[in-house]
Amino acid sequence: MTAAGTGGGRALIRRHSLREQIADALRDEMMAGRLPAGRNFTVKEIADIYGVSATPAREALVDLAAQGLLVTEPHRGFTVPEFSWQDFLEIFEARTLLTDNALRHLSGRPHGYDWSRLASLRRRADAAARAARAGQLDVLVGCDLRFWQEAAGVLCNGRIADYLGWLRIQSWMFAAPHLRAGGDLAGVCWDRHGELVDRIEARDRAGAHRIVNDYNLFTVELLARRLGQPLEGVAVLRLLREPLIPPPSAPTAPAAPAERPPAAAPRPAAAAAGLGRVPMPRFVPPGRFARPFRPGSGEPAAGR
């Protein structure tokens, strides 16, 4: 942890809720890999680092433990959990299935996109892409998290946004230490955030879906190479590589039987050829995370 590791001054607390502030700061440290798996600390240690009483420090740690981001150990305090490769694959599969379903069925939602968030999404995309190209992992983890939360928010479904954010935090907790150990990250991480915003702005649902799938493939393949792990048997990869299946089309009304003209009337040419009326198809109309505080800086991380 930055403040603890340097032994320097206390992190400034500027938000109204000390509990949320401390939880956000610790979560950022874990996401960036600066607070590694197995690191143990007590309520008193956290309270001293941030210059607060034991109550908000304890509440923050309990909140993170309830989210599965810390492990409670009797008489030892709290420990950063260690996610295995299999844990990551389960997180990755849940993320993939949730985003795939949301994008496939987006056009069927009666309220569609929240276009008012597009400008914010664009700013977050630019910040995340710059950090990725520069290899600034400490900045990237926050910018990337906020970008995808904003993108999920465009879907107008807060529960999806929150759950995807929680999964992405755990993904970074696993990935960041391995990425950091690989040396210079300039140009290594995914940086196509702006392309996704372009597809969303163009109302290109299939194009947006393809870019998100490419992102997920890029992520799992990069980590598999870094860790020397095989990807055979990861069933969800087939979902990422297949073309987008369009949503079911509107059902077609059953063909009306041919009307036989009166016996005395001449039969139309179509009826004489045994053809009925071609029916017209029926038309069916188509249908949180708080800004984190970076310990030691006194301000939110760049690009958030």
Side-chain angles (χ1 to χ4, degrees), residues 17-204:
S17 171
L18 298 182
R19 172 184 191 160
E20 292 179 4
Q21 170 63 49
I22 297 167
D24 287 347
L26 289 172
R27 189 179 62 233
D28 275 4
E29 295 292 294
M30 291 188 289
M31 283 175 57
R34 294 189 299 268
L35 193 55
R39 171 71 156 84
N40 177 267
F41 41 78
T42 64
V43 170
K44 183 180 185 305
E45 180 181 356
I46 296 303
D48 290 344
I49 288 172
Y50 293 107
V52 298
S53 67
T55 298
R58 181 182 297 105
E59 290 173 341
L61 294 171
V62 169
D63 286 348
L64 292 173
Q67 297 168 27
L69 304 180
L70 287 176
V71 176
T72 305
E73 298 193 28
H75 311 298
R76 293 194 67 236
F78 298 82
T79 301
V80 180
E82 180 176 0
F83 294 110
S84 67
W85 174 248
Q86 187 57 44
D87 291 328
F88 171 74
L89 290 181
E90 291 179 1
I91 295 166
F92 173 75
E93 181 178 20
R95 247 177 53 185
T96 298
L97 293 175
L98 191 59
T99 53
D100 182 82
N101 182 73
L103 287 167
R104 284 174 186 261
H105 297 285
L106 180 62
S107 61
R109 296 175 61 83
H111 42 72
Y113 290 97
D114 178 3
W115 296 111
S116 68
R117 305 181 75 146
L118 197 60
S120 175
L121 183 62
R122 176 74 67 182
R123 290 193 299 271
R124 295 183 186 280
D126 292 343
R130 285 196 303 270
R133 291 163 189 159
Q136 298 173 330
L137 186 63
D138 290 351
V139 178
L140 174 60
V141 292
C143 292
D144 183 77
L145 177 67
R146 272 77 199 174
F147 169 79
W148 288 105
Q149 287 173 338
E150 192 76 20
V154 173
L155 302 178
C156 303
N157 190 319
R159 287 179 173 82
I160 288 179
D162 285 349
Y163 188 56
L164 280 173
W166 177 69
L167 291 171
R168 199 169 300 281
I169 289 169
Q170 294 182 75
S171 296
W172 274 117
M173 287 174 65
F174 172 81
H178 297 296
L179 293 173
R180 194 180 294 279
D184 185 12
L185 292 175
V188 172
C189 297
W190 194 81
D191 63 357
R192 297 174 58 196
H193 304 75
E195 293 181 46
L196 178 56
V197 180
D198 291 340
R199 293 302 91 219
I200 292 175
E201 187 172 19
R203 278 66 163 176
D204 181 3

Side-chain angles (χ1 to χ4, degrees), residues 191-253:
D191 63 357
R192 297 174 58 196
H193 304 75
E195 293 181 46
L196 178 56
V197 180
D198 291 340
R199 293 302 91 219
I200 292 175
E201 187 172 19
R203 278 66 163 176
D204 181 3
R205 186 176 62 89
H209 193 179
R210 182 67 263 164
I211 291 176
V212 171
N213 281 358
D214 288 345
Y215 166 76
N216 286 327
L217 270 175
F218 181 98
T219 299
V220 74
E221 289 174 349
L222 171 63
L223 289 172
R225 289 194 303 270
R226 290 281 173 123
L227 277 69
Q229 293 285 351
L231 288 176
E232 292 80 5
V234 181
V236 76
L237 295 185
R238 183 175 61 183
L239 184 67
L240 298 177
R241 291 169 176 150
E242 69 180 14
L244 175 65
I245 301 174
S249 58
T252 302

